[in-house]
Amino acid sequence: MIHEMRKLWKALPHASTPYACYLRRFLFQTHSSTYSSAAPSHEHISQLILDQKSASQALETFKWASTVPNFVHSQSTYRALIHKLCTFRRFDTVKQVLDEMPDSVGAPPGDDIFITIIRGLGRARMTRSVIKVLDLAYKFHGTPSLKIFNSILDVLVKEDIDIAREFYRKSMMGTGVEGDDYTFGILMKGLCLTNRLGEGFKLLQLIKSRGVTPNTVVYNTLLHALCRNGKVGRARSLMNEMEEPNDVTFNILISGYCKEENSVQALVLLEKSFSMGFVPDVVSVTKVLEILCNAGRVTEAAEVLERVESMGGSLDVVAYNTLIKGFCGAGKVKVGLHFLKQMESKGCLPNVDTYNILISGFCESGMLDLALNLFNDMKTDGIKWSFVTFDTVIRGLCSEGRMEDGFSILELMEESKEGSRGHISPYNSIIYGLFKQNRFDEAVEFLTKMGKLFPRAVDRSLRILEHCKEGTIEDAKSVYNQMIDEGGIPSILVYNSLVHEFSQEGSVREAVELMNEMIANNCFPIPSTFNAIIAAFCRQGKVESALKLVEDITSRGCVPNTETYSPLIDVLCRKGDLQKAMQIFIEMAEKGIIPNLYIWNSLLLNLSQVKHFSKNVLNVDDIL
């Protein structure tokens, strides 16, 4: 046995080649076995061929294996070689290898080898050559198997459905080859990929006309195409024809209805799937949760999640995050926190998105201490803070005036590997907080210090502030447009200066557009900003526009102050509309806003000019 092993050792090629190293390890592992077990298996040689980095190396390895004592190539080793040759587009060599197979292994190439060639040609996008594989199959087998026909058809439908249909008609039907379920499934896939839905229905009828019931795969392919093209109702009708819908069927229809935001039908199908013992996959369930949460129906969404769990369905972190986000959006952040704990108890670990959603929810609800607790929990739980985490916490703290905490988190962000990632928004949040506290000089100083990190944005901002100070609004707007075109995000300093200057110039439309851009960039307007626009409307006598703006900003969560109402009451009094002025005065009083001397003067002056003075005075006394 030692003598035979030495012969095998000598037969190995140069020691540096990968397959030589492999075989040496193999021989050492088998040195205690009988010689018959020392010969490598077909599986080993096949893998060795597949591991080679070029067609030449694969051929060399194949030829070397032929010299190994007691080893004879098989269909599997030939298939491995042909796969590598196809990978490197050595198709001429493939034909030579095929010709030697009958003598080498005592049998013609099997179906798997022809399928390997077909797929190799398909990857090379050699569509016409794929069809010619039939000639090779006829050469060795006389009649190719249906498996070979289907493989060719499968490659053709991915490239050109018309060529695929011609192949089916001429090469299959024309020669008496009857297709099977797989054949029809391939054709349906090709038709649906090219959105030929009408022809898809014709194919369905053709299958039925042959006395064959289309299988579930054929139906599901057409259902998916219908839903993708917005024909969910037609898909639902087609589903009713199916004898055996499966879980994929329900996934397709439920997702289709969710895409149309038709929660009623999505829930109907969800319930039907449950009744038939099917549980939709996590993607479909998540879509149902999302559509319910977006509609504010978070309690129903929670019920769906619990129902899926009770049916043994799988849920992932994305599904839980969707539900948690829904509760946070509905202002029920503590319920969202409950689901965080629930998912953990069930072995579904939260990720950074889970925490970011909850932190954002607590910040928006004003529960900043709970937001900071979660922020600290992330470090304890081994979840890395992301830029979104830092940005959310800093914005929340600064919006509520907790500037010291905001600066502390900003410092943590700058020390972390994550950093600001080139985003200016956390720094704009600091400026916002300072400005909101009327610390204007500190805000400008902080903006100036940002120049090292964001030189272009800071340069543009300072130029805009200077132009506004000088009253050259057109120059300021020109620099602003340049900043926006460069992808810059202005701070509250820039927006406020521009809004004030446009309002002062009487360009109220431009001022309103800028305020809308502020809101779109998460820069919530403060009273001094929108008051400038309201005063401008009042100066132009556009009271209804001013009142509409007050209503709009109030609905967005902005809190008006005395300076908001003062110009409104003044212009109404000057117009002689005392009744409307008194309504606004009452609205002020109900909100706890104390009138200033300017408001009292406007009202009293107007009251003194009406005939029924004493009656109106009594009304004022009642209000007070």
Side-chain angles (χ1 to χ4, degrees), residues 311-331:
M311 294 282 291
S314 62
L315 293 168
D316 61 8
V317 66
V318 179
Y320 274 105
N321 286 353
T322 301
L323 185 62
I324 291 169
K325 185 177 181 180
F327 276 106
C328 290

Side-chain angles (χ1 to χ4, degrees), residues 258 282-302 304-305 315-330 332 335-337 339-340 343 348-351 353-358:
C258 287
V282 67
V283 175
S284 302
V285 171
T286 303
K287 288 178 180 178
V288 174
L289 297 177
E290 185 176 22
I291 192 175
L292 290 172
C293 289
N294 288 344
R297 298 161 62 181
V298 289
T299 304
E300 290 178 70
V304 167
L305 183 138
L315 293 168
D316 61 8
V317 66
V318 179
Y320 274 105
N321 286 353
T322 301
L323 185 62
I324 291 169
K325 185 177 181 180
F327 276 106
C328 290
K332 300 178 180 180
V335 180
L337 185 61
F339 278 101
L340 166 66
M343 67 187 285
C348 182
L349 297 178
N351 59 16
D353 293 330
T354 316
Y355 280 95
N356 287 345
I357 291 166
L358 284 165

Side-chain angles (χ1 to χ4, degrees), residues 45-189:
I45 295 299
S46 296
Q47 189 58 52
L48 197 59
I49 293 169
L50 292 171
D51 287 342
Q52 301 312 302
K53 305 300 182 185
S54 70
S56 299
Q57 288 180 356
L59 272 168
E60 187 181 348
T61 305
F62 183 86
K63 290 175 182 177
W64 164 80
S66 303
T67 67
V68 174
N70 288 355
F71 182 81
V72 178
H73 281 296
S74 66
Q75 294 274 347
S76 62
T77 56
Y78 268 98
R79 183 185 179 193
L81 175 61
I82 288 170
H83 174 80
K84 293 302 290 187
L85 293 173
C86 288
T87 300
F88 293 99
R89 300 193 177 196
R90 295 280 295 274
F91 296 109
D92 290 338
T93 308
V94 168
K95 292 179 182 178
Q96 296 172 15
V97 172
L98 288 178
D99 287 337
E100 71 177 47
M101 277 193 70
D103 293 332
S104 177
V105 300
D111 283 357
D112 287 344
I113 287 179
F114 285 114
I115 292 169
T116 299
I117 298 170
I118 291 165
R119 290 174 180 170
L121 289 165
R123 287 192 297 272
R125 310 295 290 270
M126 298 172 67
T127 310
R128 295 292 179 183
S129 296
V130 170
I131 300 173
K132 293 179 182 179
V133 175
L134 270 186
D135 297 333
L136 289 173
Y138 278 117
K139 174 181 174 181
F140 289 100
H141 288 282
T143 303
S145 67
L146 181 57
K147 192 175 180 182
I148 293 174
F149 279 106
N150 283 342
S151 296
I152 293 172
L153 193 64
D154 190 42
V155 170
L156 294 179
V157 296
K158 295 172 185 175
E159 290 297 320
D160 192 320
I161 182 59
D162 292 320
I163 295 176
R165 292 171 70 189
E166 183 182 3
F167 174 80
Y168 173 70
R169 285 196 301 267
K170 292 183 178 179
S171 300
M172 294 182 68
M173 291 180 65
T175 58
V177 177
E178 292 289 336
D180 59 4
D181 284 344
Y182 189 54
T183 311
F184 295 125
I186 293 168
L187 286 170
M188 184 63 80
K189 177 178 68 175

Side-chain angles (χ1 to χ4, degrees), residues 462-506:
L462 292 175
R463 284 170 59 193
I464 291 168
L465 295 181
E466 188 62 29
H467 283 308
C468 287
K469 188 176 180 181
E470 294 172 354
T472 53
I473 186 61
E474 289 303 321
D475 291 336
K477 186 64 191 302
S478 177
V479 177
Y480 172 82
N481 290 336
Q482 181 185 5
M483 185 179 186
I484 297 301
D485 291 340
E486 293 169 347
I489 301 175
S491 68
I492 183 68
L493 288 173
V494 170
Y495 281 123
N496 192 70
S497 296
L498 285 169
V499 168
H500 269 268
E501 196 60 33
F502 273 121
S503 299
Q504 194 65 36
E505 293 285 327

